[in-house]
Amino acid sequence: MQDRQKNIRNFCIVAHIDHGKSTLADRLIEKTGTVSKRDMSDQLLDSMELEKERGITIKLTPTRMFYTYDGQEYILNLIDTPGHVDFTYEVSRSLLACEGAILIVDATQGVEAQTLANAYLAIDNNLEILPVINKIDLPSADIPKTRSEIEDVIGIPADEAPCISAKDGINIDEVLEQIIKNVPHPNGDESAPLKALIFDSYYDNFKGAVCFVRIFDGKCKAGDKIRMMQTGKEYEVTEVGTFTPSMKPLNELFAGDVGYICASIKNLTDTKVGDTITNADNPTAEKLPGYKEVQPVVFSGIFLSDGSKYGDLKDALEKLKLNDASLVFMPESSKALGFGFRCGFLGLLHMDIITERLEREFNLDIITTAPSVSYNVYKTNGQMLEVSNPSLLPPTVEIDRIEEPIVKLHVFTPPEYVGAVMELCQEKRGIYIDLQYLDKQRVRLDYTIPLGEIIYDFFDSLKSRTKGYASLDYEMNGFMPSELVRLDILLNGETCDALSLITHKDKAYERGRAIAEKLKKVIPRQLFEVPIQACVGGKIIARETISAMRKDVLAKCYGGDITRKRKLLEKQKEGKKRMRKIGSIELPSEAFMSILRTNDDNDE
Amino acid sequence: MSQSENFGIYVHIPFCLSKCLYCSFISKPACENEIKHYIDFLCGEIENKNNLFVGKVCNSIYFGGGTPSSISEKYIEKVLKTIKKHYKIVKKPEISIECNPCSVSLTKLQTYKRLGINRISFGVQSLNNKELKAIGRRHNSALAMEAILLAQEAGFENISADIMIGLPFQTKSSLCKTINKLVSAGVKHISAYMLILEDGTKLKQMVDCGQVKVANEDESVALYDMTYKKLKEKGFERYEISNFAIPGYECRHNVNYWEVGEYVGFGVSAHSYYGGVRYANSDNFDEYYVEKSTKEKISNRAHIEEMIMLGLRLANGVSIKKLNMCGYDILKHKRKEIDELLKLGLIAISDEYIKITPDNFGVTSAITLKLL
């Protein structure tokens, strides 16, 4: 029976964002006839509307394909992975379920930060790496240069790398052949007790929690009793199957397979990603190594414009959490915004996606506060607090020191922008580690830098200062003490807690001024003059004034058309409902997020 | 005869010689046959609705448009006769007609006088030719002044002029000149409306693509304040946000609107309010001719909101007593807001009325929203 596994290949595709992962996945699916041309849509595996629209992959989706080579039929299990740095952990999850990884490199751009990061992840997981050079249809494609970059920068041979155009379907067969020839087949023991890795899960309204699994040893079928080795919970299997890419039931899953298991599991938290499933009657002795738990790194308060719908927001977050274990949230209350949730995200993109899904899929009108990181605050009494909500920072006298999260940052850039990148890193309190010329066209810069600076506006600044040529990657690198202060914003003399933020002492003045200026632009004139003040530790460091409103609509009521006038007023009244009242000031919801983007305007 | 038993009659004449660039009202140039057909239908409407105001007396009649003076005076005569035949009218009603300086003649004005019309409202808009041209008016300054003289010659004393604030090219000094000239000519009433760029008008299009510039918020409010001060000097009282008159010459018909009185409107797109219901005739000619209209029952809540919204436009303000009579104690329900507005000096309370203080009419909507 071990022979069966000789015809299985489990692989994933990794790449820098936009290098063509999802397009290649489409072509492979098409070429193997897994989905008929008629049913093909672009970026097939990106099923969320948001994924298609933004051209990014958020969730990983497995697919089983059949391909005949040399007269033999092979099962190819592809696991698509996200490419953005926020979702690195999703990549590492799929890697554990595979024996090989296709590493796509864009022939017009060469090796980028995420190419390297993902390649290293694959190497760390002992995967066979198949480099593929994509986008050869573009006039600016430089195949020899890309080939040598793969060899020099990543250090893997690339002379046999297929040169393809996923978009135009050129040389796709070559990729399939190389998968069969070079990716090792799985080599599990079918007669051993069941050992299956949960690499993802999602909640289905009818089937309950669905576990995406890679079977390492043994087999599994409906009726089997299974046990989750971490939680110890036991279930009876109701269905097993594979992905085509839609779920297709099978009689049984065997060692080497990628598929799914359903067992009427009510709660998604019982299907921990990284857990090992075994047979309850015939358990395996040791579980698989599993994954590191993912930790959110960016935090933001989410509130509703209409505070009375707090329950709806809670429901929506719980529903999203069902299929996104990395999302964390806890209740929070703000004087300015009422009841809401402090949410933790993997990064800014993740935050963006969640907020957009809340608005779109749940029709909620939300207000998000400026994102923050989580600080370790050591109090004089020896206590340590994790503070991600600026308004919860204890009074200065009680603080011994604050430590902020640090990342190791890698920036890839053409040499002509090295100066600009270094300048940016310095502005953002980065500490230089290393500079390496990868080749004539590419330099890699390494810095340690506070995470709080990266989430502020680093990515946009990097792109604009390097004309979009630089790419970045980072990994968490512990905590470091830092001189941090809370910057408060006072509107008409009253502190608005939702606008507070934690910043470095030396930057407080600059940011305070920028925020005050920005708020002056976004807050509409009120019936009275409104002073905006930025304040640190009780000291005012910046001030702007919004002068009082002078005029609104003096509409003529034509021929007794009172209805129209009333409708106009009602419309204005509706508009006011969307405003947040801070004391006697009416604030539009954009105000809370706009303080994050102060720098954009200055750059223009 | 108590005021509540009075009502106003509005007659819409939807024809103009040409369309002004800022106009979003129902109006069009028309041929004689069309006008005749319209007037016939209109008179039918007047006749059909005569049972609505049994026991009540009409206090004012107002011909608005469009341009009522653009059609032959014989039609106006026919309409007035129909009204008089079917409605009870006070002894000395106010009968107004809107006129365009281009479409009046001494004979026409004399006919109006003979028909009992006693108030002429000229759509002057400005006495600066550049400003007039910019908004597509057909007349010029000289023609407007001549029209006023003709009206006086025909025996009219109660003459009003509409002017606009915030026109392209308008400056403080040009507006000041317009006002001075009108007052010297003996006009007794001035309506000053801020230019509103309505969607779908040519002027809005032109402003949107940068062809013309109109006054911004601060500029137009400065122009408005100046208008108020200038007219005050000349003995004009601001009795309503946009209306200024020598005492005794306030427009009775319009005041009835602000006091949430009853009125009936005849003609295409005309509005009516009686028996607690607001009606609107269709603003489409074809639909109007098949008597299509909409109606909306005004709830007590909406009635209260209307009283506040409209009352605050008046210099006298909104009557706290009248609100109380509708079961709404504004001093109790809006205590916080009222205190805040009083503290800011935006409103004043006197003689059982809440009113906006003279310098703050520019923010009427914002104040109204707080008190609704």
Side-chain angles (χ1 to χ4, degrees):
Chain A
M1 280 300 262
Q2 236 72 332
D3 281 355
R4 182 182 171 275
Q5 294 182 46
K6 290 213 170 93
N7 285 11
I8 297 177
R9 300 291 182 273
N10 296 319
F11 69 100
C12 57
I13 308 178
V14 295
H16 188 74
I17 199 158
D18 279 344
H19 280 196
K21 266 192 329 275
S22 298
T23 314
L24 177 59
D26 282 356
R27 284 301 91 75
L28 295 177
I29 289 167
E30 203 178 278
K31 200 83 200 175
T32 55
T34 309
V35 172
S36 68
K37 257 241 157 79
R38 184 170 56 90
D39 295 330
M40 238 1 239
S41 65
D42 275 352
Q43 315 226 327
L44 189 80
L45 299 182
D46 294 343
S47 51
M48 254 187 270
E49 201 184 313
L50 207 61
E51 290 184 312
K52 279 196 205 298
E53 222 176 82
R54 294 199 176 187
I56 53 171
T57 305
I58 303 165
K59 290 291 285 181
L60 40 87
T61 318
T63 312
R64 168 183 283 207
M65 304 177 284
F66 291 92
Y67 188 66
T68 307
Y69 176 67
D70 253 1
Q72 293 213 44
E73 190 175 67
Y74 289 85
I75 295 174
L76 307 179
N77 289 313
L78 157 68
I79 301 172
D80 194 15
T81 62
H84 191 273
V85 58
D86 280 9
F87 300 104
T88 306
Y89 85 105
E90 297 252 8
V91 180
S92 51
R93 281 187 350 200
S94 46
L95 292 176
L96 259 185
C98 302
E99 278 82 29
I102 297 178
L103 176 72
I104 307 182
V105 184
D106 184 327
T108 67
Q109 295 185 17
V111 172
E112 295 281 2
Q114 287 291 305
T115 319
L116 195 69
N118 285 321
Y120 285 164
L121 274 177
I123 292 167
D124 288 349
N125 283 284
N126 293 319
L127 259 54
E128 182 66 29
I129 297 177
L130 300 180
V132 166
I133 297 169
N134 190 19
K135 303 199 186 177
I136 59 163
D137 56 297
L138 295 179
S140 55
D142 188 341
I143 297 169
K145 180 183 154 250
T146 309
R147 220 185 273 281
S148 67
E149 272 193 16
I150 296 172
E151 295 185 340
D152 299 345
V153 180
I154 306 174
I156 54 172
D159 46 330
E160 280 184 33
C163 297
I164 68 160
S165 162
K167 193 173 118 242
D168 295 348
I170 300 168
N171 286 340
I172 305 301
D173 278 311
E174 213 181 306
V175 178
L176 289 161
E177 281 166 31
Q178 285 214 5
I179 293 168
I180 290 163
K181 276 200 281 191
N182 299 334
V183 174
H185 61 75
N187 202 10
D189 185 352
E190 218 168 80
S191 55
L194 175 66
K195 198 188 256 186
L197 172 78
I198 306 177
F199 64 86
D200 201 3
S201 61
Y202 89 100
Y203 194 82
D204 182 290
N205 283 336
F206 302 105
K207 297 178 177 169
V210 179
C211 307
F212 289 23
V213 294
R214 159 70 197 273
I215 313 274
F216 282 90
D217 288 328
K219 46 198 170 193
C220 182
K221 61 176 189 306
D224 285 358
K225 270 189 95 177
I226 52 166
R227 179 188 301 155
M228 305 292 172
M229 294 188 75
Q230 252 184 59
T231 62
K233 292 202 172 155
E234 296 186 1
Y235 304 94
E236 188 180 309
V237 176
T238 56
E239 184 181 319
V240 299
T242 186
F243 305 96
T244 65
S246 52
M247 295 205 296
K248 183 190 165 200
L250 291 177
N251 289 332
E252 200 162 12
L253 289 175
F254 300 96
D257 278 341
V258 170
Y260 66 87
I261 297 176
C262 308
S264 305
I265 305 166
K266 294 278 170 302
N267 209 328
L268 202 76
T269 48
D270 291 332
T271 58
K272 269 200 171 342
V273 168
D275 198 356
T276 307
I277 299 179
T278 191
N279 192 302
D281 300 324
N282 178 21
T284 181
E286 54 184 303
K287 55 183 184 189
L288 295 157
Y291 306 112
K292 269 195 302 192
E293 284 245 3
V294 286
Q295 297 292 344
V297 292
V298 173
F299 299 83
S300 161
I302 295 189
F303 297 86
L304 285 175
S305 302
D306 179 356
S308 64
K309 291 188 182 156
Y310 172 78
D312 293 2
L313 177 59
K314 185 162 179 259
D315 288 349
L317 284 168
E318 270 165 5
K319 284 207 179 97
L320 286 180
K321 169 93 181 158
L322 280 183
N323 288 315
D324 186 349
S326 56
L327 171 68
V328 298
F329 56 91
M330 60 198 102
E332 171 175 320
S333 80
S334 150
K335 250 200 298 179
L337 298 174
F339 290 107
F341 291 92
R342 177 124 302 236
C343 303
F345 309 97
L346 300 168
L348 281 186
L349 177 68
H350 188 210
M351 170 172 159
D352 230 25
I353 286 163
I354 295 288
T355 51
E356 204 167 324
R357 290 185 68 186
L358 285 172
E359 290 193 318
R360 265 202 221 188
E361 294 170 29
F362 299 93
N363 233 335
L364 297 172
D365 201 353
I366 60 171
I367 300 174
T368 46
T369 61
S372 163
V373 298
S374 180
Y375 298 93
N376 289 345
V377 179
Y378 293 87
K379 293 176 68 173
T380 44
N381 65 4
Q383 206 188 354
M384 195 274 273
L385 295 175
E386 288 180 18
V387 176
S388 65
N389 179 352
S391 61
L392 297 182
L393 195 71
T396 328
V397 287
E398 289 177 25
I399 298 174
D400 174 50
R401 68 182 193 283
I402 306 176
E403 293 190 352
E404 63 177 333
I406 301 293
V407 297
K408 210 165 170 182
L409 173 78
H410 315 286
V411 178
F412 281 44
T413 176
E416 58 265 41
Y417 301 116
V418 165
V421 174
M422 291 178 89
E423 200 180 47
L424 174 66
C425 289
Q426 231 136 38
E427 280 170 28
K428 302 291 178 189
R429 300 188 284 131
I431 299 166
Y432 169 84
I433 305 174
D434 194 16
L435 180 151
Q436 268 182 301
Y437 271 81
L438 302 173
D439 55 33
K440 275 191 197 123
Q441 281 89 37
R442 201 162 306 256
V443 176
R444 173 178 151 165
L445 279 157
D446 294 336
Y447 271 82
T448 56
I449 199 163
L451 177 66
E453 295 287 348
I454 301 245
I455 63 163
Y456 177 37
D457 61 353
F458 190 86
F459 191 68
D460 290 340
S461 305
L462 181 70
K463 287 285 170 196
S464 75
R465 293 193 198 186
T466 62
K467 302 210 166 94
Y469 280 111
S471 61
L472 70 87
D473 179 48
Y474 60 81
E475 69 240 31
M476 302 304 293
N477 195 29
F479 282 78
M480 256 170 46
S482 180
E483 293 200 68
L484 297 161
V485 292
R486 185 173 72 211
L487 176 66
D488 289 321
I489 301 295
L490 278 67
L491 298 176
N492 209 19
E494 268 182 76
T495 307
C496 178
D497 61 357
L499 291 173
S500 294
L501 49 92
I502 294 173
T503 182
H504 191 266
K505 188 184 67 149
D506 295 345
K507 300 210 155 173
Y509 174 70
E510 184 196 323
R511 284 199 71 179
R513 209 182 42 192
I515 290 168
E517 278 168 14
K518 182 75 180 197
L519 285 173
K520 186 180 174 174
K521 279 188 215 157
V522 296
I523 299 176
R525 287 171 159 203
Q526 316 276 318
L527 280 171
F528 45 88
E529 191 179 275
V530 177
I532 305 168
Q533 293 159 304
C535 152
V536 170
K539 204 178 128 202
I540 306 296
I541 56 170
R543 185 193 157 109
E544 291 284 335
T545 307
I546 305 172
S547 54
M549 178 187 357
R550 299 298 319 279
K551 173 201 158 194
D552 47 32
V553 184
L554 297 176
K556 176 180 177 178
C557 283
Y558 152 68
D561 186 354
I562 309 294
T563 313
R564 179 162 187 250
K565 173 93 175 111
R566 205 177 66 231
K567 295 242 160 82
L568 264 170
L569 222 59
E570 266 160 20
K571 223 166 109 190
Q572 283 179 295
K573 215 162 117 186
E574 271 310 301
K576 275 172 85 91
K577 268 199 200 145
R578 299 171 52 89
M579 297 274 200
R580 276 301 170 143
K581 270 202 109 176
I582 312 290
S584 48
I585 298 166
E586 279 153 357
L587 222 57
S589 23
E590 308 93 78
F592 299 95
M593 202 53 195
S594 67
I595 66 168
L596 180 73
R597 315 226 189 266
T598 44
N599 270 23
D600 298 4
D601 292 358
N602 301 348
D603 286 352
E604 272 159 23
Chain B
M1 192 184 330
S2 91
Q3 210 209 332
S4 66
E5 286 175 332
N6 285 339
F7 68 98
I9 289 178
Y10 175 81
V11 179
H12 192 70
I13 305 296
F15 305 108
C16 281
L17 295 175
S18 63
K19 186 115 184 149
C20 301
L21 300 183
Y22 57 89
C23 176
S24 66
F25 295 152
I26 298 307
S27 68
K28 62 176 185 179
C31 61
E32 204 54 32
N33 277 343
E34 210 178 338
I35 296 171
K36 187 174 179 316
H37 178 248
Y38 180 80
I39 297 294
D40 285 347
F41 192 86
L42 181 78
C43 289
E45 188 192 4
I46 294 171
E47 193 176 333
N48 289 337
K49 290 186 177 164
N50 73 340
N51 56 350
L52 299 173
F53 295 93
V54 180
K56 294 179 186 174
V57 189
C58 171
N59 194 24
S60 66
I61 300 169
Y62 193 101
F63 287 88
T67 313
S69 62
S70 69
I71 61 171
S72 162
E73 51 270 45
K74 69 180 184 209
Y75 296 120
I76 303 294
E77 179 165 11
K78 184 172 176 193
V79 171
L80 268 174
K81 275 190 174 151
T82 314
I83 291 174
K84 284 177 179 161
K85 188 170 159 198
H86 295 282
Y87 294 83
K88 210 175 154 198
I89 293 167
V90 294
K91 257 196 199 120
K92 285 183 177 171
E94 174 193 273
I95 306 180
S96 311
I97 187 163
E98 287 180 353
C99 294
N100 185 309
C102 288
S103 51
V104 289
S105 62
L106 187 59
T107 9
K108 192 176 261 184
L109 288 161
Q110 282 166 339
T111 311
Y112 289 163
K113 182 79 191 165
R114 183 173 53 77
L115 294 174
I117 292 175
N118 49 26
R119 185 172 178 276
I120 301 279
S121 171
F122 281 114
V124 172
Q125 315 314 350
S126 164
L127 289 176
N128 178 295
N129 289 339
K130 201 171 168 193
E131 294 166 21
L132 287 169
K133 214 171 157 196
I135 53 170
R137 296 295 292 195
R138 291 168 75 103
H139 67 266
N140 57 29
S141 167
L143 209 56
M145 293 302 284
E146 196 189 314
I148 294 169
L149 287 175
L150 283 179
Q152 285 162 341
E153 200 181 328
F156 287 99
E157 179 210 12
N158 189 350
I159 299 170
S160 171
D162 284 358
I163 59 171
M164 293 189 95
I165 291 173
L167 294 174
F169 308 112
Q170 195 172 46
T171 62
K172 269 191 177 177
S173 101
S174 76
L175 177 59
C176 204
K177 271 187 198 152
T178 296
I179 293 170
N180 281 338
K181 278 201 216 165
L182 287 173
V183 173
S184 328
V187 159
K188 298 287 193 296
H189 182 284
I190 286 180
S191 299
Y193 295 114
M194 287 214 191
L195 176 69
I196 298 172
L197 294 173
E198 300 276 7
D199 283 338
T201 59
K202 188 113 193 260
L203 190 64
K204 177 157 194 326
Q205 247 177 41
M206 289 160 71
V207 170
D208 285 348
C209 59
Q211 283 174 27
V212 280
K213 205 182 145 279
V214 293
N216 66 23
E217 172 174 331
D218 288 331
E219 287 160 4
S220 48
V221 92
L223 291 171
Y224 174 78
D225 284 345
M226 190 206 74
T227 305
Y228 165 66
K229 287 197 185 97
K230 192 88 214 160
L231 284 170
K232 201 174 164 66
E233 276 170 28
K234 310 266 181 191
F236 282 66
E237 289 293 335
R238 175 174 59 192
Y239 67 99
E240 194 263 347
I241 187 163
S242 302
N243 287 290
F244 305 79
I246 304 267
Y249 288 92
E250 297 86 0
C251 175
R252 223 190 278 175
H253 186 81
N254 278 332
V255 168
N256 183 49
Y257 290 151
W258 315 129
E259 289 180 343
V260 204
E262 291 193 321
Y263 55 93
V264 59
F266 302 119
V268 67
S269 81
H271 291 243
S272 308
Y273 175 58
Y274 48 83
V277 181
R278 292 206 179 273
Y279 302 84
N281 286 347
S282 172
D283 57 7
N284 171 299
F285 280 88
D286 294 336
E287 288 182 4
Y288 168 66
Y289 287 136
V290 293
E291 292 174 36
K292 220 170 153 185
S293 68
T294 57
K295 63 178 195 175
E296 184 194 0
K297 176 102 186 79
I298 300 299
S299 65
N300 191 46
R301 173 84 224 155
H303 181 63
I304 290 163
E305 290 195 352
E306 286 183 354
M307 284 169 76
I308 298 170
M309 162 185 108
L310 298 170
L312 285 174
R313 296 175 64 103
L314 292 165
N316 287 339
V318 54
S319 159
I320 299 169
K321 220 185 255 168
K322 276 193 187 166
L323 289 173
N324 267 327
M325 269 154 52
C326 294
Y328 188 66
D329 185 352
I330 193 167
L331 294 179
K332 193 175 123 205
H333 286 97
K334 291 287 168 186
R335 190 74 250 169
K336 219 182 96 200
E337 288 82 359
I338 288 174
D339 285 344
E340 196 185 320
L341 292 168
L342 281 172
K343 212 174 102 195
L344 292 166
L346 294 169
I347 59 168
I349 298 182
S350 61
D351 305 333
E352 290 287 300
Y353 278 84
I354 298 179
K355 56 182 166 195
I356 293 175
T357 46
D359 289 341
N360 296 297
F361 270 79
V363 289
T364 301
S365 292
I367 294 171
T368 306
L369 281 173
K370 291 220 177 258
L371 294 178
L372 281 186

